[in-house]
Coordinates of all heavy atoms in Angstrom, one line a residue:
P1319 N 92.1 59.5 166.7 CA 93.2 60.3 167.3 C 93.8 61.2 166.3 O 94.3 62.3 166.6 CB 94.2 59.2 167.6 CG 93.4 57.9 167.8 CD 92.2 58.1 166.9
D1320 N 93.7 60.9 165.0 CA 94.3 61.8 164.0 C 93.6 63.1 163.8 O 94.1 64.1 163.2 CB 94.4 61.1 162.6 CG 95.3 59.9 162.7 OD1 96.2 59.9 163.6 OD2 95.1 59.0 161.9
E1321 N 92.4 63.2 164.4 CA 91.6 64.5 164.4 C 92.3 65.6 165.2 O 92.0 66.7 165.1 CB 90.2 64.3 164.9 CG 89.3 63.5 163.9 CD 87.9 63.4 164.4 OE1 87.4 64.3 165.2 OE2 87.3 62.4 164.1
Y1322 N 93.2 65.1 166.1 CA 93.8 66.1 167.1 C 95.2 66.3 166.6 O 96.1 65.5 166.7 CB 93.7 65.5 168.5 CG 92.3 65.2 168.8 CD1 91.8 63.9 168.7 CD2 91.4 66.2 169.2 CE1 90.5 63.6 169.0 CE2 90.1 65.9 169.4 CZ 89.6 64.6 169.4 OH 88.3 64.3 169.6
A1323 N 95.5 67.6 166.2 CA 96.8 67.9 165.7 C 97.7 68.1 166.9 O 97.4 68.6 167.9 CB 96.7 69.2 164.9
P1324 N 99.0 67.7 166.7 CA 100.0 67.9 167.8 C 100.1 69.3 168.2 O 100.1 70.2 167.3 CB 101.3 67.4 167.1 CG 100.8 66.4 166.0 CD 99.5 67.0 165.5
G1325 N 100.1 69.5 169.5 CA 100.3 70.9 170.0 C 99.0 71.7 170.1 O 99.0 72.8 170.5
Q1326 N 97.9 71.1 169.6 CA 96.6 71.8 169.7 C 95.7 71.3 170.8 O 95.8 70.1 171.2 CB 95.9 71.6 168.3 CG 96.6 72.2 167.1 CD 96.7 73.7 167.2 OE1 95.8 74.4 167.4 NE2 97.9 74.2 167.0
V1327 N 94.9 72.1 171.3 CA 93.9 71.7 172.3 C 92.5 71.8 171.7 O 92.1 72.9 171.3 CB 94.1 72.6 173.6 CG1 93.0 72.3 174.6 CG2 95.4 72.5 174.2
A1328 N 91.8 70.7 171.7 CA 90.5 70.6 171.2 C 89.5 71.1 172.3 O 89.5 70.6 173.4 CB 90.2 69.2 170.7
T1329 N 88.6 72.0 171.9 CA 87.7 72.5 172.9 C 86.2 72.1 172.6 O 85.3 72.5 173.3 CB 87.8 74.1 172.9 OG1 87.5 74.5 171.5 CG2 89.1 74.6 173.3
K1330 N 86.0 71.2 171.6 CA 84.7 70.9 171.2 C 83.9 70.1 172.3 O 82.7 70.0 172.2 CB 84.6 70.2 169.9 CG 85.3 68.9 169.9 CD 85.3 68.3 168.4 CE 86.0 67.0 168.3 NZ 86.0 66.5 167.0
F1331 N 84.6 69.6 173.3 CA 83.9 68.8 174.3 C 83.7 69.6 175.6 O 83.2 69.0 176.6 CB 84.6 67.5 174.6 CG 84.7 66.6 173.4 CD1 85.9 66.4 172.8 CD2 83.6 66.0 172.9 CE1 86.1 65.6 171.6 CE2 83.7 65.2 171.7 CZ 84.9 65.0 171.1
I1332 N 84.0 70.8 175.6 CA 83.9 71.6 176.9 C 82.5 71.8 177.3 O 82.1 71.5 178.4 CB 84.6 73.0 176.7 CG1 86.1 72.7 176.6 CG2 84.3 73.9 177.9 CD1 86.9 74.0 176.4
A1333 N 81.6 72.2 176.4 CA 80.2 72.5 176.8 C 79.5 71.3 177.3 O 78.8 71.4 178.3 CB 79.5 73.1 175.6
Q1334 N 79.7 70.2 176.7 CA 79.0 69.0 177.1 C 79.6 68.2 178.3 O 79.0 67.7 179.2 CB 78.8 68.0 175.9 CG 77.9 66.9 176.2 CD 77.6 66.0 174.9 OE1 78.2 66.3 173.9 NE2 76.7 65.1 175.1
F1335 N 81.0 68.2 178.2 CA 81.7 67.3 179.2 C 82.7 68.1 180.1 O 83.2 67.5 181.0 CB 82.4 66.2 178.5 CG 81.5 65.3 177.7 CD1 81.5 65.3 176.4 CD2 80.6 64.5 178.4 CE1 80.7 64.5 175.6 CE2 79.7 63.6 177.7 CZ 79.8 63.7 176.3
G1336 N 83.0 69.4 179.8 CA 84.0 70.1 180.5 C 85.4 69.6 180.4 O 86.2 69.7 181.3
V1337 N 85.6 69.0 179.2 CA 86.9 68.3 178.9 C 87.6 69.0 177.7 O 87.0 69.3 176.7 CB 86.7 66.8 178.6 CG1 88.0 66.2 178.1 CG2 86.2 66.1 179.8
R1338 N 88.9 69.1 177.9 CA 89.8 69.6 176.7 C 90.7 68.4 176.4 O 91.3 67.8 177.3 CB 90.6 70.8 177.1 CG 89.8 72.0 177.4 CD 90.6 73.1 178.1 NE 89.7 74.1 178.7 CZ 89.4 75.2 178.1 NH1 89.9 75.5 177.0 NH2 88.6 76.1 178.7
L1339 N 90.8 68.2 175.1 CA 91.7 67.1 174.6 C 92.9 67.8 174.0 O 92.8 68.8 173.2 CB 91.0 66.2 173.6 CG 89.9 65.4 174.1 CD1 89.3 64.5 173.0 CD2 90.3 64.5 175.3
A1340 N 94.1 67.3 174.3 CA 95.3 67.8 173.7 C 96.2 66.7 173.2 O 96.2 65.6 173.9 CB 96.0 68.7 174.7
R1341 N 96.9 66.9 172.2 CA 97.8 65.8 171.7 C 99.2 66.4 171.7 O 99.5 67.4 171.1 CB 97.4 65.4 170.2 CG 98.2 64.3 169.7 CD 97.7 63.9 168.4 NE 98.4 62.7 167.9 CZ 98.3 62.2 166.7 NH1 97.5 62.8 165.8 NH2 98.9 61.1 166.4
Y1342 N 100.1 65.7 172.4 CA 101.5 66.1 172.5 C 102.4 64.9 172.4 O 102.0 63.8 172.7 CB 101.7 66.8 173.9 CG 101.2 68.2 173.9 CD1 99.9 68.5 174.3 CD2 101.9 69.3 173.4 CE1 99.3 69.7 174.3 CE2 101.4 70.5 173.4 CZ 100.1 70.8 173.8 OH 99.6 72.0 173.7
E1343 N 103.6 65.2 172.1 CA 104.6 64.2 172.1 C 105.1 63.9 173.5 O 105.3 64.8 174.3 CB 105.9 64.6 171.3 CG 105.6 64.9 169.8 CD 105.5 63.6 169.0 OE1 106.2 62.7 169.3 OE2 104.7 63.6 168.1
Y1344 N 105.2 62.6 173.9 CA 105.7 62.2 175.2 C 106.6 61.1 174.9 O 106.2 60.0 174.4 CB 104.6 61.9 176.1 CG 105.1 61.5 177.5 CD1 105.5 62.5 178.4 CD2 105.1 60.2 178.0 CE1 106.0 62.2 179.6 CE2 105.5 59.9 179.2 CZ 106.0 60.9 180.1 OH 106.5 60.6 181.3
N1345 N 107.9 61.2 175.3 CA 108.9 60.2 175.0 C 108.9 59.8 173.5 O 109.0 58.6 173.2 CB 108.7 58.9 175.9 CG 109.0 59.2 177.3 OD1 109.8 60.0 177.6 ND2 108.5 58.4 178.2
G1346 N 108.7 60.8 172.7 CA 108.8 60.6 171.2 C 107.6 60.0 170.6 O 107.5 59.8 169.4
Q1347 N 106.5 59.8 171.4 CA 105.3 59.2 170.9 C 104.1 60.2 171.0 O 104.0 60.9 172.1 CB 104.9 57.9 171.6 CG 105.9 56.8 171.5 CD 106.0 56.3 170.1 OE1 105.0 56.1 169.4 NE2 107.3 56.1 169.6
P1348 N 103.3 60.3 170.0 CA 102.1 61.2 170.2 C 101.2 60.6 171.3 O 100.9 59.4 171.3 CB 101.4 61.2 168.8 CG 102.0 60.0 168.1 CD 103.3 59.7 168.7
Q1349 N 100.7 61.4 172.1 CA 99.8 61.0 173.2 C 98.7 62.0 173.4 O 98.9 63.2 173.3 CB 100.6 60.8 174.5 CG 99.8 60.1 175.6 CD 100.7 59.7 176.7 OE1 101.9 59.7 176.6 NE2 100.1 59.3 177.8
I1350 N 97.5 61.5 173.6 CA 96.3 62.4 173.8 C 96.1 62.5 175.3 O 96.1 61.5 176.0 CB 95.1 61.9 173.1 CG1 95.4 62.0 171.6 CG2 93.9 62.7 173.5 CD1 94.2 61.5 170.7
Y1351 N 95.9 63.8 175.8 CA 95.5 64.0 177.2 C 94.2 64.6 177.3 O 93.7 65.4 176.4 CB 96.5 65.0 177.8 CG 98.0 64.5 177.7 CD1 98.8 64.9 176.7 CD2 98.4 63.7 178.7 CE1 100.1 64.5 176.6 CE2 99.7 63.2 178.6 CZ 100.5 63.6 177.6 OH 101.8 63.1 177.5
A1352 N 93.4 64.3 178.3 CA 92.1 64.9 178.6 C 92.2 65.6 179.9 O 92.4 65.0 180.9 CB 91.0 63.9 178.5
L1353 N 92.0 66.9 179.9 CA 92.1 67.7 181.1 C 90.7 68.3 181.5 O 90.0 68.8 180.6 CB 93.1 68.8 180.9 CG 94.5 68.4 180.7 CD1 95.4 69.6 180.3 CD2 95.1 67.7 181.8
Q1354 N 90.4 68.4 182.7 CA 89.3 69.1 183.2 C 89.5 70.6 183.0 O 90.7 71.1 183.1 CB 89.0 68.9 184.7 CG 88.2 67.6 184.9 CD 87.8 67.5 186.4 OE1 87.7 68.5 187.1 NE2 87.6 66.3 186.8
S1355 N 88.5 71.4 182.8 CA 88.6 72.8 182.6 C 88.5 73.6 183.9 O 88.5 74.9 183.8 CB 87.6 73.3 181.6 OG 87.7 72.6 180.4
V1356 N 88.4 73.0 185.0 CA 88.1 73.7 186.3 C 89.4 73.9 187.0 O 90.2 73.0 187.3 CB 87.1 72.9 187.1 CG1 86.9 73.6 188.5 CG2 85.8 72.7 186.4
C1357 N 89.7 75.2 187.3 CA 90.9 75.6 188.1 C 90.8 75.0 189.5 O 89.8 74.9 190.1 CB 90.9 77.1 188.2 SG 92.4 77.7 189.1
T1358 N 92.0 74.5 189.9 CA 92.1 73.8 191.2 C 92.2 74.8 192.4 O 92.3 74.4 193.5 CB 93.3 72.9 191.2 OG1 94.5 73.6 190.9 CG2 93.0 71.7 190.3
H1359 N 92.2 76.1 192.1 CA 92.2 77.1 193.1 C 90.8 77.2 193.7 O 90.5 76.7 194.8 CB 92.7 78.4 192.6 CG 92.8 79.5 193.7 ND1 92.4 80.8 193.5 CD2 93.2 79.4 195.0 CE1 92.5 81.5 194.6 NE2 93.0 80.7 195.5
L1360 N 89.9 77.9 193.0 CA 88.5 78.1 193.5 C 87.5 77.7 192.5 O 86.3 78.1 192.7 CB 88.3 79.6 194.0 CG 89.2 80.0 195.2 CD1 88.9 81.4 195.5 CD2 88.9 79.1 196.4
G1361 N 87.9 77.0 191.5 CA 86.9 76.4 190.6 C 86.4 77.2 189.4 O 85.4 76.9 188.7
C1362 N 87.1 78.3 189.0 CA 86.8 79.0 187.7 C 87.2 78.1 186.5 O 88.0 77.2 186.6 CB 87.5 80.3 187.7 SG 86.9 81.5 188.9
L1363 N 86.6 78.5 185.4 CA 86.9 77.7 184.2 C 88.2 78.4 183.5 O 88.2 79.6 183.3 CB 85.8 77.8 183.2 CG 84.5 77.0 183.6 CD1 83.5 77.1 182.5 CD2 84.9 75.6 183.9
V1364 N 89.2 77.6 183.2 CA 90.4 78.1 182.6 C 90.2 78.2 181.1 O 89.3 77.6 180.5 CB 91.6 77.1 182.9 CG1 91.9 77.1 184.4 CG2 91.4 75.7 182.3
K1365 N 91.0 79.0 180.5 CA 90.9 79.2 179.1 C 92.3 78.9 178.4 O 93.3 79.1 179.0 CB 90.6 80.7 178.7 CG 89.3 81.2 179.2 CD 89.1 82.7 178.8 CE 87.9 83.3 179.3 NZ 86.8 82.7 179.8
W1366 N 92.2 78.3 177.3 CA 93.4 77.9 176.6 C 93.9 79.1 175.7 O 93.2 79.6 175.0 CB 93.2 76.7 175.7 CG 94.3 76.3 174.8 CD1 94.3 76.4 173.4 CD2 95.6 75.8 175.2 NE1 95.6 76.0 173.0 CE2 96.3 75.6 174.0 CE3 96.1 75.5 176.4 CZ2 97.6 75.1 174.1 CZ3 97.4 75.0 176.5 CH2 98.2 74.8 175.3
E1367 N 95.2 79.4 175.9 CA 95.8 80.5 175.2 C 96.8 79.8 174.2 O 97.9 79.5 174.6 CB 96.5 81.5 176.1 CG 95.6 82.3 177.0 CD 94.8 83.3 176.2 OE1 95.3 83.8 175.2 OE2 93.7 83.7 176.7
S1368 N 96.4 79.6 173.0 CA 97.2 78.9 172.0 C 98.6 79.6 171.8 O 99.6 78.9 171.6 CB 96.5 78.6 170.7 OG 96.1 79.8 170.1
A1369 N 98.6 80.9 171.7 CA 99.8 81.6 171.5 C 100.8 81.4 172.5 O 102.0 81.3 172.3 CB 99.5 83.1 171.3
R1370 N 100.4 81.2 173.8 CA 101.3 81.0 174.9 C 101.5 79.5 175.2 O 102.3 79.1 176.0 CB 100.8 81.7 176.2 CG 100.8 83.2 176.1 CD 100.1 83.8 177.3 NE 100.7 83.4 178.5 CZ 100.5 84.0 179.7 NH1 99.7 85.0 179.8 NH2 101.0 83.5 180.8
Q1371 N 100.5 78.7 174.6 CA 100.5 77.2 174.9 C 100.4 77.0 176.4 O 101.0 76.1 177.0 CB 101.8 76.6 174.4 CG 101.9 76.5 172.9 CD 101.0 75.5 172.3 OE1 101.1 74.3 172.4 NE2 99.9 76.0 171.5
E1372 N 99.4 77.8 177.0 CA 99.2 77.6 178.4 C 97.7 77.8 178.7 O 97.0 78.5 177.9 CB 99.9 78.7 179.2 CG 101.4 78.5 179.2 CD 102.2 79.6 179.9 OE1 101.7 80.8 179.9 OE2 103.2 79.3 180.5
F1373 N 97.2 77.3 179.8 CA 95.9 77.5 180.3 C 96.0 78.7 181.3 O 96.8 78.7 182.2 CB 95.3 76.3 181.0 CG 95.0 75.1 180.1 CD1 96.0 74.1 180.0 CD2 93.9 75.1 179.3 CE1 95.7 73.0 179.2 CE2 93.6 74.0 178.5 CZ 94.6 73.0 178.4
L1374 N 95.0 79.6 181.1 CA 95.0 80.8 182.1 C 93.7 80.8 182.8 O 92.6 80.6 182.2 CB 95.2 82.1 181.3 CG 96.4 82.2 180.4 CD1 96.4 83.6 179.7 CD2 97.7 82.0 181.2
C1375 N 93.8 81.0 184.1 CA 92.5 81.2 184.9 C 92.2 82.7 185.0 O 93.1 83.4 185.5 CB 92.7 80.6 186.2 SG 91.1 80.7 187.2
P1376 N 91.1 83.1 184.6 CA 90.7 84.5 184.6 C 90.4 85.1 186.0 O 90.4 86.3 186.2 CB 89.5 84.6 183.7 CG 88.8 83.3 183.8 CD 90.0 82.3 184.0
C1377 N 90.2 84.2 186.9 CA 89.8 84.7 188.3 C 91.0 85.2 189.1 O 90.9 86.3 189.6 CB 89.1 83.6 189.0 SG 87.5 83.1 188.2
H1378 N 92.0 84.5 189.3 CA 93.2 84.9 190.1 C 94.5 84.6 189.4 O 95.5 84.5 190.1 CB 93.1 84.2 191.5 CG 91.8 84.3 192.1 ND1 90.9 83.2 192.1 CD2 91.1 85.3 192.7 CE1 89.8 83.6 192.7 NE2 89.8 84.9 193.1
A1379 N 94.5 84.5 188.1 CA 95.7 84.5 187.3 C 96.5 83.2 187.5 O 97.8 83.2 187.2 CB 96.5 85.7 187.5
A1380 N 96.0 82.1 187.8 CA 96.7 80.9 187.8 C 97.1 80.5 186.3 O 96.3 80.8 185.4 CB 95.9 79.7 188.4
V1381 N 98.2 79.9 186.1 CA 98.7 79.5 184.8 C 99.1 78.1 184.9 O 99.8 77.6 185.8 CB 99.9 80.4 184.4 CG1 100.4 79.9 183.0 CG2 99.5 81.9 184.4
F1382 N 98.6 77.3 183.9 CA 98.9 75.9 183.8 C 99.6 75.6 182.4 O 99.2 76.3 181.4 CB 97.7 75.0 183.9 CG 96.8 75.3 185.1 CD1 95.9 76.3 185.2 CD2 97.0 74.5 186.2 CE1 95.2 76.5 186.3 CE2 96.3 74.7 187.4 CZ 95.3 75.7 187.4
D1383 N 100.5 74.7 182.3 CA 101.1 74.4 181.0 C 100.1 73.5 180.3 O 99.0 73.1 180.7 CB 102.5 73.8 181.2 CG 102.5 72.4 181.8 OD1 101.5 71.8 181.9 OD2 103.6 72.0 182.1
A1384 N 100.5 73.1 179.1 CA 99.7 72.3 178.2 C 99.3 71.0 178.8 O 98.3 70.4 178.4 CB 100.3 72.2 176.8
R1385 N 100.1 70.4 179.7 CA 99.7 69.2 180.4 C 98.9 69.4 181.6 O 98.6 68.5 182.3 CB 101.0 68.4 180.7 CG 101.8 67.8 179.6 CD 101.1 66.6 179.0 NE 100.5 65.8 180.0 CZ 101.1 64.8 180.7 NH1 102.4 64.6 180.5 NH2 100.5 64.1 181.6
G1386 N 98.6 70.7 181.9 CA 97.8 71.0 183.1 C 98.6 71.2 184.4 O 98.0 71.4 185.4
R1387 N 99.9 71.2 184.3 CA 100.7 71.4 185.5 C 100.8 72.9 185.8 O 100.8 73.8 184.9 CB 102.2 70.9 185.2 CG 102.2 69.4 185.0 CD 103.6 69.0 184.6 NE 103.9 69.4 183.3 CZ 104.6 68.7 182.4 NH1 105.1 67.6 182.7 NH2 104.9 69.2 181.2
V1388 N 100.8 73.2 187.1 CA 100.8 74.6 187.6 C 102.1 75.2 187.2 O 103.2 74.7 187.5 CB 100.6 74.7 189.1 CG1 100.7 76.1 189.6 CG2 99.3 74.0 189.5
V1389 N 102.0 76.4 186.5 CA 103.2 77.2 186.2 C 103.4 78.3 187.2 O 104.5 78.6 187.7 CB 103.1 77.8 184.7 CG1 104.2 78.7 184.4 CG2 103.0 76.6 183.7
S1390 N 102.3 79.0 187.5 CA 102.3 80.1 188.5 C 100.9 80.4 189.0 O 99.9 79.9 188.4 CB 102.9 81.3 187.8 OG 102.1 81.8 186.8
G1391 N 100.9 81.2 190.0 CA 99.6 81.6 190.6 C 99.2 80.7 191.8 O 100.0 79.9 192.2
P1392 N 98.0 80.9 192.3 CA 97.6 80.3 193.5 C 97.0 78.9 193.4 O 96.7 78.3 194.5 CB 96.4 81.3 194.0 CG 95.8 81.7 192.7 CD 97.0 81.9 191.7
A1393 N 96.9 78.3 192.2 CA 96.4 77.0 192.1 C 97.2 76.0 192.9 O 98.4 75.9 192.7 CB 96.3 76.6 190.7
P1394 N 96.6 75.1 193.8 CA 97.4 74.2 194.6 C 97.8 72.9 193.9 O 98.6 72.1 194.4 CB 96.5 74.0 195.8 CG 95.1 74.1 195.2 CD 95.2 75.2 194.1
A1395 N 97.2 72.6 192.8 CA 97.4 71.3 192.1 C 97.2 71.5 190.6 O 96.5 72.4 190.1 CB 96.4 70.3 192.7
P1396 N 97.7 70.5 189.9 CA 97.4 70.6 188.4 C 96.0 70.4 188.0 O 95.2 70.0 188.9 CB 98.2 69.3 187.9 CG 99.0 68.9 189.0 CD 98.4 69.4 190.3
L1397 N 95.6 70.7 186.8 CA 94.3 70.5 186.3 C 94.1 69.0 186.4 O 94.9 68.2 185.9 CB 94.1 71.0 184.9 CG 94.2 72.5 184.7 CD1 94.2 72.8 183.2 CD2 93.1 73.2 185.4
P1398 N 92.9 68.5 186.9 CA 92.7 67.1 186.9 C 92.7 66.5 185.5 O 92.2 67.1 184.6 CB 91.3 67.0 187.6 CG 91.2 68.2 188.3 CD 91.9 69.3 187.5
E1399 N 93.2 65.3 185.4 CA 93.4 64.6 184.1 C 92.5 63.4 184.1 O 92.4 62.6 185.1 CB 94.9 64.2 183.9 CG 95.2 63.7 182.6 CD 96.7 63.5 182.4 OE1 97.5 64.1 183.2 OE2 97.0 62.8 181.4
Y1400 N 91.8 63.2 183.0 CA 91.0 62.0 182.8 C 91.9 60.9 182.2 O 92.9 61.2 181.5 CB 89.8 62.3 181.9 CG 88.8 63.2 182.5 CD1 88.6 64.4 182.0 CD2 88.0 62.7 183.5 CE1 87.6 65.3 182.5 CE2 87.0 63.5 184.0 CZ 86.8 64.8 183.5 OH 85.8 65.6 184.0
K1401 N 91.5 59.7 182.4 CA 92.2 58.6 181.7 C 91.8 58.5 180.3 O 90.6 58.7 179.9 CB 91.8 57.3 182.4 CG 92.6 56.1 182.0 CD 92.3 54.9 182.9 CE 93.2 53.8 182.4 NZ 93.8 53.2 183.6
V1402 N 92.7 58.4 179.4 CA 92.5 58.3 177.9 C 93.0 57.0 177.4 O 94.1 56.5 177.8 CB 93.2 59.4 177.2 CG1 93.1 59.3 175.7 CG2 92.7 60.8 177.7
R1403 N 92.2 56.3 176.6 CA 92.6 55.1 175.9 C 92.3 55.2 174.4 O 91.2 55.7 174.1 CB 91.9 53.9 176.5 CG 92.3 53.6 178.0 CD 91.6 52.5 178.6 NE 92.0 51.3 178.0 CZ 91.5 50.1 178.2 NH1 90.4 50.0 179.0 NH2 91.9 49.0 177.7
E1404 N 93.2 54.7 173.6 CA 92.9 54.7 172.2 C 92.7 53.2 171.8 O 93.6 52.4 172.0 CB 94.1 55.3 171.4 CG 94.3 56.7 171.6 CD 95.5 57.3 170.9 OE1 95.7 56.9 169.7 OE2 96.2 58.2 171.4
I1405 N 91.6 52.9 171.3 CA 91.2 51.5 170.9 C 90.6 51.5 169.5 O 89.7 52.2 169.2 CB 90.2 50.9 171.9 CG1 90.8 51.0 173.3 CG2 89.8 49.5 171.5 CD1 89.8 50.6 174.4
S1406 N 91.2 50.8 168.6 CA 90.7 50.6 167.2 C 90.5 52.0 166.6 O 89.4 52.2 166.0 CB 89.5 49.8 167.2 OG 89.7 48.5 167.7
G1407 N 91.4 52.9 166.8 CA 91.3 54.2 166.1 C 90.3 55.2 166.7 O 90.0 56.2 166.1
K1408 N 89.8 54.9 167.9 CA 88.9 55.8 168.6 C 89.5 56.2 169.9 O 90.3 55.4 170.5 CB 87.5 55.2 168.8 CG 86.8 54.9 167.5 CD 85.4 54.5 167.8 CE 84.7 54.2 166.4 NZ 83.6 55.0 166.2
V1409 N 89.1 57.4 170.4 CA 89.6 57.9 171.7 C 88.5 57.8 172.7 O 87.4 58.2 172.5 CB 90.1 59.4 171.5 CG1 90.5 59.9 172.9 CG2 91.2 59.5 170.5
Y1410 N 88.8 57.1 173.8 CA 87.9 57.0 174.9 C 88.4 57.7 176.1 O 89.6 57.6 176.5 CB 87.7 55.5 175.3 CG 87.0 54.7 174.2 CD1 87.8 54.1 173.2 CD2 85.6 54.6 174.1 CE1 87.2 53.4 172.1 CE2 85.0 53.9 173.1 CZ 85.8 53.3 172.1 OH 85.2 52.6 171.1
V1411 N 87.5 58.5 176.8 CA 87.9 59.3 177.9 C 87.0 58.9 179.1 O 85.8 58.8 179.0 CB 87.7 60.8 177.6 CG1 88.0 61.6 178.9 CG2 88.6 61.2 176.5
G1412 N 87.7 58.6 180.2 CA 87.0 58.1 181.4 C 87.4 58.8 182.6 O 88.4 59.5 182.7
L1413 N 86.6 58.6 183.7 CA 86.9 59.3 185.0 C 88.0 58.6 185.8 O 88.5 59.2 186.7 CB 85.6 59.3 185.8 CG 84.5 60.2 185.2 CD1 83.2 60.1 186.0 CD2 85.0 61.6 185.2
T1414 N 88.2 57.3 185.5 CA 89.2 56.7 186.4 C 90.4 56.2 185.6 O 90.4 56.1 184.4 CB 88.6 55.5 187.1 OG1 88.1 54.6 186.1 CG2 87.6 55.9 188.1
Ligands
FES908 FE1 91.7 80.0 189.3 FE2 91.6 81.4 191.5 S1 90.0 80.2 190.7 S2 93.2 81.2 190.1

């Protein structure tokens, strides 16, 4: 978990798994989130814009916040989130 800096989105798993990992504070505790990269509008791949701290979809301009929630645009739902567990210093990401 310490490999993921707070406020940063890790992109090294996108090519193999289509997953972005992000570490943010939630209720005062660091927490890692795993989000799918596929826009919920029509399925384009979103891009992380670190300067804005938002995901942008290049197809029809949907915008998602760092947690994957819809900020604006035509996306009908947040970016799907994978279940994340931290066990013995390792991060596990699963589908359910
Ligand atoms: Fe992302 Fe349309 S596919 S906004």
Side-chain angles (χ1 to χ4, degrees):
D1320 295 337
E1321 289 180 28
Y1322 305 99
Q1326 299 294 311
V1327 173
T1329 58
K1330 64 184 179 181
F1331 299 109
I1332 290 176
Q1334 189 173 4
F1335 300 108
V1337 171
R1338 296 168 195 262
L1339 295 181
R1341 186 175 188 190
Y1342 284 91
E1343 297 281 325
Y1344 183 71
N1345 287 338
Q1347 298 294 317
Q1349 190 168 347
I1350 293 179
Y1351 301 96
L1353 299 171
Q1354 281 189 21
S1355 300
V1356 178
C1357 179
T1358 55
H1359 180 224
L1360 295 177
C1362 291
L1363 293 180
V1364 299
K1365 297 182 182 346
W1366 173 247
E1367 294 286 334
S1368 60
R1370 293 175 54 168
Q1371 292 287 293
E1372 293 176 324
F1373 293 98
L1374 306 179
C1375 181
C1377 293
H1378 312 102
V1381 179
F1382 304 86
D1383 69 12
R1385 288 287 321 276
R1387 297 174 290 217
V1388 177
V1389 173
S1390 63
L1397 295 175
E1399 188 172 343
Y1400 291 111
K1401 187 171 186 134
V1402 175
R1403 295 177 71 189
E1404 295 181 37
I1405 302 171
S1406 299
K1408 294 188 181 238
V1409 176
Y1410 293 88
V1411 176
L1413 292 175
T1414 57

